[in-house]
Amino acid sequence: QVQLQESGPGLVKPSETLSLTCTVSGASVRSGGYYWSWIRQPPGKGLEWIGFTYYTGSTNYSPSFKSRVTISVHTSKNQFSLHLSSVTAADTAVYYCSRFTVDTTGHYFENWGQGALVTVSA
Amino acid sequence: SYVLTQPPSVSVAPGKTASITCEENNIGDTNVHWYRQKPGQAPVLVIYYHSDRPSEIPERFSGSNSGNTATLTISRVEAGDEADYYCQVWDSNSDQPVFGGGTKLTVL
């Protein structure tokens, strides 16, 4: 059973960098056919894709975040991470990590972490 | 690029059938996936590849996709089905996933 768990500070000051780690169990981040992704959900709003990484280190980011986001994979720890710089109150959200499946049946978010609420406030 | 349009809310009586739509021009030409998000919980994949279900999702959940509309259908609706539902596609032009705005299903 694949499980993902987000961890990191729940409070970040404006203009600083938000950093979260996702620990994967029950699967290897080295597995082909899966991308390791971050999605966020502002309070009361819908889902917003941030980006994903592959085990090779290649990345794909949403244009909405591209100038200030870095997603990295750490194969030795079976983890991947999110860094979002220059945060504002608009970045307050629940951040989810997810395993994104890419195969003949499509491209979809097969497994999700429970989510981590990050509040941006001084 | 895709802009997926979902109705903000759908209401249905217990035991009846709920239909949640996801609209975009020619959406029938691509694979559509659906997620359920209960209050305070993470989203869960309920339908992928138009109408396939993960093993833990009951047969009451089904999907269809044709023309400009994809539909998630929930038969014999139960109180526990009350949740937000999101559709999602892969935009091959921009190489990114796209979510619909979500539909809140209320069980009366």
Side-chain angles (χ1 to χ4, degrees):
Chain A
Q1 181 183 2
V2 180
Q3 294 186 317
L4 300 96
Q5 178 68 58
E6 304 87 353
S7 60
L11 181 64
V12 181
K13 290 182 169 55
S15 79
E16 295 190 345
T17 296
L18 180 160
S19 297
L20 292 172
T21 297
C22 184
T23 301
V24 180
S25 58
S28 171
V29 297
R30 293 192 188 91
S31 300
Y34 300 106
Y35 290 71
W36 305 95
S37 187
W38 290 95
I39 302 110
R40 77 177 188 182
Q41 186 172 38
K45 296 189 177 181
L47 301 171
E48 190 174 19
W49 175 69
I50 300 171
F52 55 58
T53 186
Y54 197 52
Y55 77 94
T56 56
S58 66
T59 55
N60 188 358
Y61 301 134
S62 165
S64 298
F65 299 96
K66 197 166 189 175
S67 63
R68 57 190 187 105
V69 68
T70 301
I71 297 176
S72 306
V73 63
H74 314 287
T75 54
S76 62
K77 297 181 179 180
N78 217 36
Q79 296 176 333
F80 61 105
S81 61
L82 168 71
H83 297 280
L84 185 66
S85 64
S86 305
V87 297
T88 68
D91 294 309
T92 294
V94 175
Y95 287 77
Y96 295 101
C97 59
S98 176
R99 184 175 76 161
F100 187 66
T101 295
V102 176
D103 63 20
T104 55
T105 60
H107 303 63
Y108 50 89
F109 299 94
E110 188 170 2
N111 308 98
W112 297 68
Q114 64 184 28
L117 173 62
V118 179
T119 301
V120 178
S121 174
Chain B
S1 62
Y2 284 94
V3 177
L4 305 179
T5 301
Q6 298 184 236
S9 62
V10 168
S11 298
V12 63
K16 300 298 185 182
T17 297
S19 295
I20 298 172
T21 57
C22 178
E23 297 185 343
E24 172 59 291
N25 287 338
N26 300 314
I27 196 173
D29 294 340
T30 192
N31 297 326
V32 179
H33 318 292
W34 292 91
Y35 305 86
R36 175 184 67 198
Q37 185 179 32
K38 295 184 178 181
Q41 297 185 17
V44 170
L45 179 70
V46 293
I47 293 288
Y48 63 100
Y49 193 44
H50 305 314
S51 60
D52 286 355
R53 287 174 290 105
S55 57
E56 66 272 22
I57 302 301
E59 292 183 7
R60 300 185 297 105
F61 287 76
S62 62
S64 62
N65 187 17
S66 180
N68 298 329
T69 304
T71 303
L72 172 68
T73 301
I74 308 172
S75 305
R76 303 181 299 282
V77 166
E78 304 171 356
D81 297 328
E82 194 162 273
D84 294 326
Y85 291 84
Y86 295 88
C87 59
Q88 177 254 312
V89 302
W90 174 256
D91 186 339
S92 57
N93 291 324
S94 60
D95 273 350
Q96 62 180 356
V98 178
F99 288 103
T103 297
K104 181 176 181 60
L105 176 67
T106 300
V107 181
L108 300 171

